[in-house]
Amino acid sequence: MAFRILVLLLPATLLLIGAFISLAPVSTLSVADQSTFTLVPYLLALVAVFLGYSFKRSRVLLVAINLGAAYFLIQNGLQTSLARPDNYVLYSAVSLLLPINIAFISVYKERGIFTPIGLLRIMLVSIGYIVLFALKELGELAYWISELPVSLIEMAINDTYLSNAAAAVFVVCLIPVVISLAVRKTHTDAGLLASLISALITLLWFDRPLISSLFISAALIALAISVLQNSYNMAFVDELTGILGRRALRDKFSTLGRTYTVAMMDIDHFKKFNDTYGHDIGDQVLRMVAAKINNVKGGGKAFRYGGEEFAVVFAGKSESETLPYLEEVREIIANYPMTIRSDERPCDSDTGKKLRSSQKESENVQVTISVGVSEKDSSHANPETVLKAADKALYAAKKAGRNCTIASHQPPPAPKKSKPRRSKFDYAQQ
């Protein structure tokens, strides 16, 4: 899980590091170039809003509005000294509103955008900034300086502008953002965390030239990338098993060189398994088999071809080189202790112990796969024909009794016996 989260955070981390490195160079730009650079976040906010709308990512759209509105107030109301009462009140309000909005957005579920709840969320994100802008334009904010609590006046860290209250709000808001990332593990949540960190850095070192332009831009780019990454997953990653799907297999075919081998795998008697135990258990079997196949050694790349069929591509390897790795996967699956829980569920722990002792609560079943393999040669000159040859070898493995591997160019290896297990239904032998 930790590795998955680190992968999700990698693009945002690189963007934030890039923004930090760019602080010194951008400060040396001419006044005209700096003025042009301040327009970049507006363009990026529009891009993020468009992507969020186009790909039905309401949280991306909301965060883009949040960041864009905060940036607008910073550029149009906070470009003079914070010693001015109205500026300091505006800065204090933004330092609270920006993280609070991100925290609320992080716990939202993806819903429609132009629906009652979607429009309500847009209004909730926008209303605070609209009110602040109106009060700033009317000159009303200066009168609020005497109403600010001490926690909004005392600085949390020396040589920064972040108040104790704002620092506390950022810490509290970090909690739902991190929890959402840990639970959902989506690119959008990684973008939300990047947005919160960008907001914190911007407000901490608020006096640095173009800091808001740099870090707000980094956060908006991270959000845009998250939409593209989510869309890639939807198109190329199988939702049920979590491994690459058929479209990704077609893309893989376009990158293969002169030597490669394709293996086709099929779960034995899967329809009977579904009919006996139901589709929920069938889905568990698919996920288990996919996970084992995805761990194939020898440089193989696993794909879900469709239904209970899987494909593995070995670039740069012949049939004979891949057979040991495929046999290893076949044996791992055949020897995996797959337990089917009884419909008779215990209502308390004592009943559960009795059921377990009487072996009525669950039963073990043997899940097996058949494997067909083919390599590229003169008669199978492209990936499509190699795939068909592997599928033909898979059919031969089914006819040979299942739970075995057959290569199209070589005699089948002697099948190794799987560990015996107690099972009401041994699907490899039916």
Side-chain angles (χ1 to χ4, degrees):
M1 183 183 78
F3 178 76
R4 166 68 174 163
I5 292 175
L6 288 175
V7 171
L8 291 172
L9 289 173
L10 182 60
T13 302
L14 294 176
L15 286 166
L16 293 177
I17 292 173
F20 181 79
I21 294 173
S22 301
L23 278 174
V26 297
S27 64
T28 63
L29 295 175
S30 66
V31 174
D33 289 339
Q34 289 190 18
S35 179
T36 301
F37 191 79
T38 60
L39 300 177
V40 172
Y42 294 121
L43 176 61
L44 292 173
L46 289 175
V47 170
V49 167
F50 174 76
L51 290 173
Y53 167 75
S54 300
F55 290 91
K56 304 297 186 291
R57 290 288 179 267
S58 60
R59 294 194 299 159
V60 170
L61 182 144
L62 292 171
V63 178
I65 292 174
N66 185 44
L67 293 173
Y71 182 74
F72 176 82
L73 285 183
I74 290 172
Q75 291 300 310
N76 293 276
L78 294 174
Q79 294 306 301
T80 53
S81 174
L82 291 184
R84 290 180 45 174
D86 58 339
N87 282 3
Y88 190 77
V89 171
L90 179 59
Y91 169 84
S92 299
V94 170
S95 69
L96 300 178
L97 188 58
L98 189 50
I100 288 173
N101 277 340
I102 293 175
F104 275 110
I105 294 168
S106 71
V107 300
Y108 289 160
K109 293 182 179 179
E110 293 290 355
R111 298 286 180 86
I113 295 171
F114 295 116
T115 61
I117 191 169
L119 293 173
L120 176 63
R121 288 174 175 177
I122 293 174
M123 185 181 70
L124 290 175
V125 169
S126 308
I127 190 67
Y129 297 110
I130 294 172
V131 171
L132 286 174
F133 178 73
L135 292 174
K136 172 71 173 178
E137 291 297 301
L138 293 173
E140 296 291 329
L141 289 181
Y143 300 109
W144 290 21
I145 189 70
S146 60
E147 303 297 325
L148 293 181
V150 175
S151 59
L152 276 174
I153 298 174
E154 294 179 343
M155 299 300 102
I157 305 173
N158 292 334
D159 300 323
T160 70
Y161 291 91
L162 199 69
S163 66
N164 285 330
V169 167
F170 267 99
V171 171
V172 172
C173 291
L174 181 64
I175 296 172
V177 174
V178 171
I179 291 176
S180 180
L181 175 61
V183 172
R184 292 173 173 169
K185 300 181 187 66
T186 69
H187 297 286
T188 299
D189 289 288
L192 283 166
L193 181 57
S195 300
L196 187 65
I197 294 172
S198 295
L200 176 61
I201 294 173
T202 297
L203 295 168
L204 269 174
W205 294 287
F206 196 67
D207 58 340
R208 304 289 180 90
L210 296 175
I211 190 167
S212 60
S213 300
L214 281 169
F215 281 92
I216 296 297
S217 293
L220 289 166
I221 293 172
L223 288 171
I225 290 175
S226 76
V227 175
L228 300 178
Q229 289 173 316
N230 283 328
S231 300
Y232 172 86
N233 285 343
M234 290 178 64
F236 291 92
V237 178
D238 179 62
E239 184 178 6
L240 176 63
T241 62
I243 68 172
L244 294 172
R246 192 165 181 169
R247 182 176 294 183
L249 175 63
R250 300 300 178 190
D251 277 6
K252 180 67 175 178
F253 281 170
S254 66
T255 66
L256 294 174
R258 295 181 178 180
T259 304
Y260 56 86
T261 295
V262 177
M264 288 295 292
M265 303 177 174
D266 183 272
I267 302 176
D268 297 327
H269 298 294
F270 186 69
K271 184 179 183 303
K272 291 182 180 180
F273 197 101
N274 264 343
D275 292 342
T276 303
Y277 296 109
H279 291 284
D280 288 343
I281 301 298
D283 288 348
Q284 292 180 29
V285 171
L286 284 170
R287 284 190 286 266
M288 181 274 288
V289 170
K292 303 304 180 187
I293 295 175
N294 199 40
N295 289 329
V296 64
K297 298 176 183 177
K301 194 72 175 177
F303 304 85
R304 186 183 181 192
Y305 191 73
E308 66 270 26
E309 283 191 304
F310 298 86
V312 178
V313 178
F314 293 89
K317 282 188 168 56
S318 64
E319 281 181 359
S320 59
E321 292 174 312
T322 64
L323 286 174
Y325 305 115
L326 295 170
E327 276 291 282
E328 181 183 25
V329 170
R330 183 190 63 77
E331 288 194 346
I332 288 173
I333 293 172
N335 293 320
Y336 185 78
M338 189 74 189
T339 301
I340 306 300
R341 299 293 178 184
S342 170
D343 291 336
E344 184 184 358
R345 305 305 298 159
C347 57
D348 54 54
S349 59
D350 292 336
T351 304
K353 290 179 181 178
K354 292 178 181 179
L355 284 172
R356 284 191 291 272
S357 63
S358 63
Q359 297 183 342
K360 292 180 180 178
E361 187 193 17
S362 61
E363 61 179 281
N364 292 331
V365 297
Q366 184 181 35
V367 178
T368 64
I369 62 171
S370 298
V371 185
V373 194
S374 181
E375 65 182 6
K376 179 189 176 184
D377 63 5
S378 57
S379 60
H380 306 127
N382 60 66
E384 295 295 338
T385 56
V386 175
L387 179 70
K388 289 180 181 178
D391 199 49
K392 186 177 180 180
L394 171 62
Y395 180 73
K398 292 285 189 181
K399 288 186 67 176
R402 297 179 173 83
N403 192 23
C404 63
T405 302
I406 290 184
S408 63
H409 293 81
Q410 298 176 9
K416 298 179 182 179
K417 293 183 179 180
S418 303
K419 294 179 182 178
R421 62 175 67 245
R422 291 182 300 172
S423 170
K424 182 178 178 181
F425 295 97
D426 184 348
Y427 289 95
Q429 306 300 324
Q430 287 185 356

